[in-house]
Amino acid sequence: MAEQRRSGGGGATASEHILVVFPGYHRSWAAWIEQCLERHGHRATLHRWDPPREIPLEDSLGDLLLSSGRVLLVLNDWFFELGPRPAGEWNDALRGFVAAHADRFAAVNLTNRPLLPATAVLEPASLWGLSEEAVQERLLARLGLAPLTTPRTPVTRVRFPDTRCDVWGEVPRRNPRFTGRDDLLTTIHQRLADAERGAAACTLLGMSGIGKTQLAAEYAHRFSTDYDAVWWVNSDDRNIQRDRLGELAVELGLRSGSEPGERIRAVRNALRRGDPHEKWLVIFDGWDDIEGADSLLPQGPGHVLITSRNRAWSERTDAVEVPGFVRAESVAYLMRRAGHISAAEAEEVAAEFGDVPLPLVQAASWLGESGMEVSEYLRMMRERRLSTVDEPVTGDGFPQSSMTSWSILLNRFRRAQPQAIDVLGLCTSFAPGRIPLGLIRAYPHADLPENLRWMTADLPAWSRALDTLVKYSVLTRETRGPAGLEMGPHQESVHMHRLVHDIVSKLTGDEQRDSHRRAVRTLLAEADPGNPLDSRNWPRYAELLPHLEPSGALDSTRPRVQETVLNCLRYCSRSGEYTTGLQLARRTRRRWAGFLPPLSPQMLDLTREESTMVRVSGRFREAYDLDRDVLERLRAAPGTNPLAELTTQGAMASSLRHLGRYDEAYALQHEVLEGTDRLLGPNESATMVARHNLGVSLRLLGRFAEAYELDLENYGVRESVLRARHISTLNSSSAVTHDLRLLGRYRDALARQEPTVRLHLQVLGPQHPQTLGARTQLVMSRRRGGGPTQDIGPEMASLLDELAQVHGREHYRTLAFLTNYGNYLREHGDLSHARELIEEAEAGYRALLGPAHPVATGMLANTGLVMQAAGERAEAMAMFESALAGLTATLGADHPWVLGCALCATGARNFNGRIADAVELGRDTVRRAHRTLGGEHPLTLSCQVALAADLRAAREHEEAGKLEEDGLLALTRTLGAQHPHTLSARQRTRPYWDFEPYLG
């Protein structure tokens, strides 16, 4: 927001307009320059400037030229850290844009430190170290303005910035790295200026570390020219506060006794009268204990600024809530202090600390001085190997007394409200952030330590303790749950910032820590719904998950707590929180390995969940090796555990599918289904999972009809046993759609998938991985179904963005949709974009799977289609032939993927003049397609139409005509007369097949 002010003056002919551009840090200089120019008959406009980093510097400088007259830049080395921007960007802008408009720009320099080399284009006049008269002379000379013989007298005189006000009392030195907060400082200044005379008092409220003291100190420096007396009163301790306020009597030259009370009365009377100074500012820093405040708080023509954690001040004074930095301020500060980090990395650090200044200063110090990578720093923070209060903060003006201030507050609680200390101690056994304290009231029978049992028995005391902590900005009450629902007493939660958590943990000691942590993990186990497969329970698991490690749950030997840990892992794998889940699984394995046998039920369950999340992250070989090791251990151990063996074999089969070993995966999965059916029966969860996964294996083998029958059966069982809205039932419904689409029954697939997606959205939400998969099935059903396909382009682009956001651009699920979208774009004429996407997907699959994997091989067909569309026919044929040979070797000649590659290869042979070879391959492909897919499958019919085209080219018109006529009739009958396949065949447009990658 620009700070602008206009004043008239000067003669009609000689008056000029000057736009004075300054960073907020130099407001006092800008105000004095404005006054100087207006005294000599010119108009000035103040413009506080902090150009956003995301806007090109030339554009921001160009905006300044929209004003009339000259632009005066108030420079020092800080000016060129605005943004912040690389020095090279500033130099380029100065040498280019500013040099081209040198007649409009001028500058003054407030420092003796070197500026950027290209600043020479501005010819800045140095004002550093000069007297007021010399500065005035040099300023006017730089602007080419003649001084008036008799300067005008300003209505309100602004003091020269280098002249300290008459009274300046122990204001902390100015922080040279103070960043942002310009709008907040302007708000405070405006509120004090607009207040009624005698009532200009403003309180800055917020938790410790939010920057209240820094803000007050910067206010004093930035607006010092508005005051004749500025007095700073440390107010953590009442006695020190009284002594410090009384000392102002001496500075004001007041006659009073030596007793503090007499001095304070004299000071308050003098300030009230405005004698000897009307323009005064008194700052009370850290005034939390407001008892007796009326006997200390000054009144009169001046201003009072208070910093406090105590929200009771809002009833006595104008109150300003001090928030964290705006994200752009956080990013700018971090990038200035740690020049090696990117804006994205700075944003990640800022988000980690909620934009609270004090931990950001600590982070900037660590990163800047050590050169540490952001990922390593954040990992150490999250593993509690670093703390926001590990090292003293120096060099940035943040008080070393931060811990002292907290000690004073906690001691006050111990004296006046000891139960608040109990609540705080319990909170530090949860993770920082959202703390579900309502669990204490929801499960009063939980094993609380004796000294905490009052929390469930004495509701008034509980409310008083929480009110006290909220009042002093230690905790923040949350009135809504994670899903935005209103919360009752049993769902009550509070928010404890990481900084507060770290400080309180250090200051409350370890005497009760073990008993508190034991109580918290007991509460977590009590709150476990016991069914992580039910999506209705996911908000509860999301609430419990962060508190497992801080409470010591990962080290617990209690089966109930261990089951809660496993249920949280199951929640992660079902809800799509794979990264979080894998991290938790590995931390849990490290702890449990110390006291649990490797083949205990808990360790086997842990391995199963870890394997799932390793596999879904794309590390298929690692998942396979993990499960194979467990299977070998199970088979070598005395006694048998057939169900554990079957479960492990099922996991291994999943990894084999992803590794492209489809025959092995099918054989193993078939064995697992037979075993679970025999041991548990057809309607148990493990059997239903095995049946679903056998369907996946059949689909990958190209046995679409068998997959459809099995998936349809499984869907019916799941709908009956688990109900229609269960996550597994929804997954089976999408599997049936997939089978229908692969069978060429596009209209049936579309009719089924539309309601399936609606249920996914209702039950799981739009960005759950399974919902994204269901939406992919829907959009592909629309594409294959031949409706208004021009409408699905924006839908596909949006879905690709969401997949990349959830999984990452290089994840195999994103790569699959990159391919599908690239094929769509190629069909619709955007060949350049299509080529980019197909090349990206092909390279991604090759890196993930290796070049010999069937999916990596199949991608060559898509590359060939792009080349063919671009007229690169010989290169396209090489791609199709490579794909055909590679897939035939790994999958056999009858696999649908091989048949599709063969269809493309026949076209390439035809286009390259190898008609006889095209006919030979085409005849073989049609025979195989009839046998594998049936005579009315769209791929079979496409092969038939393509063969007719090749026969015509070979002058075998009679056979070609018969094949074409039969193919057209079948396409009309199965897909409809207006389907694109039918229309293309009728227009004799060569059919093709694009490869749709699928890993299972």
Side-chain angles (χ1 to χ4, degrees):
M1 181 190 298
E3 180 181 278
Q4 298 188 354
R5 183 148 47 92
R6 294 183 178 272
S7 302
T13 57
S15 176
E16 288 198 26
H17 174 250
I18 309 296
L19 181 70
V20 182
V21 177
F22 64 100
Y25 195 78
H26 287 308
R27 183 260 181 194
S28 58
W29 271 101
W32 183 87
I33 290 170
E34 176 193 36
Q35 172 186 265
C36 178
L37 292 171
E38 292 182 346
R39 287 184 68 223
H40 289 277
H42 305 284
R43 292 186 305 112
T45 300
L46 296 187
H47 184 80
R48 192 185 76 232
W49 198 55
D50 189 0
R53 182 171 40 82
E54 60 273 14
I55 294 177
L57 192 51
E58 289 80 0
D59 292 352
S60 294
L61 288 165
D63 289 342
L64 299 178
L65 297 185
L66 296 175
S67 70
S68 61
R70 306 281 295 284
V71 175
L72 178 68
L73 305 180
V74 181
L75 304 182
N76 73 341
D77 48 336
W78 174 258
F79 190 93
F80 297 104
E81 292 191 18
L82 294 174
R85 298 169 185 271
E89 186 177 348
W90 276 105
N91 279 325
D92 289 346
L94 290 167
R95 292 177 183 127
F97 184 86
V98 174
H101 300 86
D103 59 320
R104 294 287 309 279
F105 286 100
V108 293
N109 179 17
L110 304 180
T111 182
N112 67 337
R113 290 188 290 273
L115 300 180
L116 295 176
T119 311
V121 73
L122 292 165
E123 300 178 7
S126 176
L127 308 185
W128 186 79
L130 301 179
S131 66
E132 183 171 8
E133 294 74 16
V135 167
Q136 175 178 285
E137 180 181 339
R138 192 165 289 187
L139 170 68
L140 295 173
R142 175 62 188 88
L143 292 169
L145 304 175
L148 292 180
T149 306
T150 307
R152 298 171 180 173
T153 303
V155 177
T156 303
R157 180 171 174 77
V158 176
R159 190 174 57 257
F160 183 59
D162 280 355
T163 304
R164 183 58 59 84
C165 56
D166 296 339
V167 176
W168 184 259
E170 293 189 16
V171 178
R173 71 179 181 84
R174 196 171 195 185
N175 178 4
R177 292 194 176 102
F178 185 90
T179 192
R181 304 288 203 176
D182 287 344
D183 291 339
L184 190 54
L185 285 161
T186 301
T187 297
I188 296 165
H189 184 252
Q190 197 63 49
R191 289 199 186 185
L192 289 171
D194 292 346
E196 294 182 12
R197 183 184 175 93
C202 183
T203 302
L204 308 182
L205 291 173
M207 59 175 262
S208 282
I210 203 70
K212 303 184 299 296
T213 298
Q214 280 288 287
L215 197 59
E218 176 62 21
Y219 179 90
H221 288 281
R222 186 171 297 195
F223 297 97
S224 62
T225 53
D226 291 5
Y227 300 101
D228 296 322
V230 177
W231 196 251
W232 187 277
V233 181
N234 290 319
S235 302
D236 278 341
D237 181 278
R238 177 177 292 276
N239 292 328
I240 294 175
Q241 178 191 39
R242 289 173 58 81
D243 288 344
R244 180 66 189 145
L245 182 59
E247 289 169 7
L248 181 55
V250 177
E251 296 294 327
L252 295 176
L254 305 178
R255 293 185 177 181
S256 66
S258 59
E259 198 273 323
E262 295 179 27
R263 288 187 171 190
I264 289 170
R265 282 191 292 274
V267 167
R268 294 184 73 222
N269 285 333
L271 296 177
R272 178 175 49 79
R273 295 192 309 270
D275 180 20
H277 301 292
E278 278 201 347
K279 295 190 293 183
W280 51 262
L281 171 66
V282 178
I283 300 173
F284 293 91
D285 183 41
W287 196 351
D288 291 337
D289 185 0
I290 65 174
E291 185 180 346
D294 292 339
S295 64
L296 294 177
L297 202 60
Q299 294 180 330
H303 297 162
V304 175
L305 190 60
I306 301 164
T307 74
S308 181
R309 292 172 289 201
N310 191 339
R311 299 184 176 279
W313 276 114
S314 59
E315 300 170 7
R316 294 169 174 259
T317 66
D318 189 7
V320 173
E321 184 73 32
V322 180
F325 281 148
V326 175
R327 181 57 53 82
E329 295 173 340
S330 302
V331 170
Y333 179 78
L334 288 162
M335 292 180 71
R336 289 188 192 108
R337 291 293 314 277
H340 66 287
I341 72 174
S342 68
E345 290 173 326
E347 185 149 344
E348 189 177 2
V349 175
E352 181 75 14
F353 297 115
D355 298 291
V356 173
L358 189 54
L360 285 178
V361 169
Q362 181 71 38
S365 177
W366 271 99
L367 292 166
E369 294 174 15
S370 68
M372 186 183 290
E373 293 299 320
V374 166
S375 57
E376 174 67 10
Y377 175 76
L378 290 177
R379 185 180 64 80
M380 292 176 70
M381 286 296 304
R382 289 162 183 163
E383 292 176 359
R384 315 295 286 172
R385 291 165 56 194
L386 288 177
S387 163
T388 53
V389 292
D390 270 347
E391 297 289 336
V393 178
T394 57
D396 287 299
F398 276 97
Q400 295 286 350
S401 60
S402 180
M403 296 293 280
T404 304
S405 173
W406 272 99
S407 295
I408 292 170
L409 181 64
L410 295 183
N411 286 334
R412 184 177 299 144
F413 290 161
R414 288 187 180 96
R415 291 192 304 270
Q417 180 60 272
Q419 288 165 323
I421 295 293
D422 289 341
V423 175
L424 271 183
L426 193 66
C427 284
T428 59
S429 293
F430 288 91
R434 187 173 185 273
I435 297 175
L437 281 182
L439 296 181
I440 297 167
R441 307 208 62 78
Y443 303 101
H445 58 281
D447 186 18
L448 288 176
E450 187 174 349
N451 64 316
L452 299 184
R453 288 175 188 165
W454 64 268
M455 294 182 180
T456 61
D458 191 345
L459 181 58
W462 169 260
S463 299
R464 283 193 303 273
L466 279 184
D467 289 343
T468 298
L469 295 171
V470 171
K471 174 182 174 182
Y472 282 93
S473 307
V474 179
L475 301 177
T476 304
R477 261 203 179 94
E478 296 192 346
T479 57
R480 293 182 180 273
L485 303 174
E486 294 284 349
M487 295 187 297
H490 295 171
Q491 293 87 38
E492 186 174 34
S493 67
V494 295
H495 188 276
M496 188 181 210
H497 192 274
R498 179 198 291 273
L499 173 67
V500 178
H501 190 278
D502 285 352
I503 290 175
V504 172
S505 296
K506 282 188 177 290
L507 294 177
T508 51
D510 297 328
E511 300 85 5
Q512 304 294 328
R513 189 68 48 82
D514 286 344
S515 63
H516 286 177
R517 295 175 80 203
R518 186 164 54 251
V520 169
R521 57 182 177 261
T522 299
L523 288 167
L524 298 178
E526 291 280 355
D528 179 1
N531 184 6
L533 297 182
D534 190 335
S535 59
R536 292 170 296 184
N537 293 328
W538 290 354
R540 172 61 90 188
Y541 283 112
E543 187 175 51
L544 302 181
L545 185 88
H547 307 293
L548 295 177
E549 190 160 16
S551 69
L554 304 190
D555 298 297
S556 177
T557 58
R558 293 179 57 192
R560 178 87 180 267
V561 176
Q562 292 171 354
E563 186 63 18
T564 296
V565 173
L566 289 170
N567 279 339
C568 286
L569 280 170
R570 293 173 184 125
Y571 150 73
C572 288
S573 64
R574 275 53 171 194
S575 67
E577 296 287 342
Y578 304 130
T579 302
T580 300
L582 188 53
Q583 291 170 351
L584 175 61
R586 290 186 162 159
R587 289 198 301 271
T588 303
R589 177 175 294 280
R590 286 196 294 270
R591 309 294 181 78
W592 284 6
F595 58 86
L596 282 175
L599 297 183
S600 64
Q602 297 93 327
M603 288 295 278
L604 290 173
D605 285 347
L606 171 62
T607 300
R608 182 166 63 250
E609 299 306 324
E610 183 180 356
S611 167
T612 298
M613 288 181 281
V614 168
R615 185 166 50 254
V616 83
S617 69
R619 305 203 302 269
F620 311 129
R621 170 60 63 179
E622 184 181 338
Y624 177 75
D625 290 342
L626 183 65
D627 291 315
R628 184 180 58 181
D629 179 64
V630 171
L631 184 62
E632 289 172 355
R633 287 170 178 264
L634 283 168
R635 288 175 172 170
T640 58
N641 189 342
L643 187 57
E645 287 190 28
L646 288 169
T647 302
T648 305
Q649 286 176 297
M652 289 173 63
S654 291
S655 297
L656 287 170
R657 285 193 294 273
H658 287 84
L659 289 168
R661 294 159 60 178
Y662 302 143
D663 289 319
E664 293 176 71
Y666 172 77
L668 189 56
Q669 190 65 56
H670 194 275
E671 182 182 337
V672 171
L673 177 56
E674 288 185 336
T676 53
D677 197 4
R678 183 177 62 253
L679 283 174
L680 303 174
N683 295 345
E684 287 299 313
S685 177
T687 308
M688 290 186 278
V689 169
R691 192 181 296 120
H692 176 89
N693 288 338
L694 187 61
V696 175
S697 283
L698 287 166
R699 202 176 303 132
L700 285 165
L701 288 169
R703 294 159 61 177
F704 303 146
E706 293 173 75
Y708 171 68
E709 294 300 329
L710 192 63
D711 284 331
L712 193 61
E713 175 194 350
N714 204 40
Y715 173 70
V717 174
R718 281 179 161 172
E719 190 174 40
S720 173
V721 175
L722 302 175
R723 301 295 182 248
R725 296 170 65 89
H726 192 278
I727 182 173
S728 298
T729 308
L730 295 176
N731 200 27
S732 280
S733 184
S734 281
V736 172
T737 297
H738 197 176
D739 297 329
L740 286 169
R741 186 164 58 79
L742 294 176
L743 286 167
R745 295 169 56 181
Y746 303 138
R747 282 176 291 194
D748 292 341
L750 185 58
R752 166 174 285 277
Q753 196 62 9
E754 285 176 337
T756 297
V757 166
R758 284 196 295 271
L759 276 177
H760 271 86
L761 292 169
Q762 293 168 13
V763 175
L764 303 178
Q767 295 213 324
H768 185 281
Q770 187 172 304
T771 304
L772 292 174
R775 291 168 62 192
T776 297
Q777 288 298 335
L778 178 59
V779 77
M780 292 304 292
S781 296
R782 287 174 177 160
R783 180 182 172 219
R784 301 298 186 198
T789 54
Q790 67 274 14
D791 295 336
I792 69 170
E795 183 182 357
M796 293 186 83
S798 174
L799 186 51
L800 175 58
D801 287 342
E802 291 179 67
L803 283 160
Q805 180 182 344
V806 170
H807 296 299
R809 189 86 175 180
E810 296 176 352
H811 192 274
Y812 62 91
R813 290 175 178 168
T814 311
L815 293 175
F817 202 75
L818 269 173
T819 305
N820 295 332
Y821 186 38
N823 284 329
Y824 170 85
L825 292 172
R826 187 205 68 251
E827 280 182 345
H828 290 80
D830 191 348
L831 195 58
S832 174
H833 193 189
R835 185 187 290 268
E836 289 176 9
L837 295 183
I838 295 298
E839 286 178 352
E840 179 184 353
E842 184 191 344
Y845 275 125
R846 197 165 51 246
L848 179 68
L849 306 172
H853 191 286
V855 167
T857 305
M859 285 299 298
L860 298 176
N862 293 322
T863 301
L865 288 172
V866 172
M867 290 176 168
Q868 190 163 274
E872 303 164 15
R873 292 185 168 181
E875 295 86 347
M877 185 169 69
M879 286 292 170
F880 294 138
E881 297 288 359
S882 294
L884 178 59
L887 288 179
T888 301
T890 55
L891 302 180
D894 291 340
H895 193 287
W897 291 356
V898 175
L899 301 175
C901 283
L903 170 62
C904 292
T906 62
R909 291 178 182 184
N910 185 315
F911 295 148
N912 282 276
R914 293 171 52 186
I915 305 300
D917 291 341
V919 170
E920 181 184 1
L921 179 59
R923 289 189 191 279
D924 183 61
T925 303
V926 169
R927 282 195 301 272
R928 293 181 184 279
H930 269 275
R931 184 169 64 244
T932 301
L933 298 171
E936 296 201 336
H937 191 282
L939 179 55
T940 304
L941 296 173
S942 293
C943 292
Q944 188 171 322
V945 169
L947 176 57
D950 294 333
L951 288 168
R952 271 197 308 275
R955 304 184 186 281
E956 298 182 30
H957 296 291
E958 184 177 350
E959 184 182 358
K962 180 70 170 63
L963 277 173
E964 184 177 62
E965 183 181 357
D966 290 347
L968 278 170
L969 286 173
L971 283 169
T972 303
R973 186 168 58 251
T974 56
L975 298 181
Q978 298 304 310
H979 191 281
H981 287 355
T982 309
L983 295 174
S984 293
R986 187 171 293 120
Q987 294 162 5
R988 292 187 172 175
T989 302
R990 180 91 193 191
Y992 59 84
W993 170 86
D994 55 50
F995 175 66
E996 186 181 323
Y998 175 58
L999 287 177

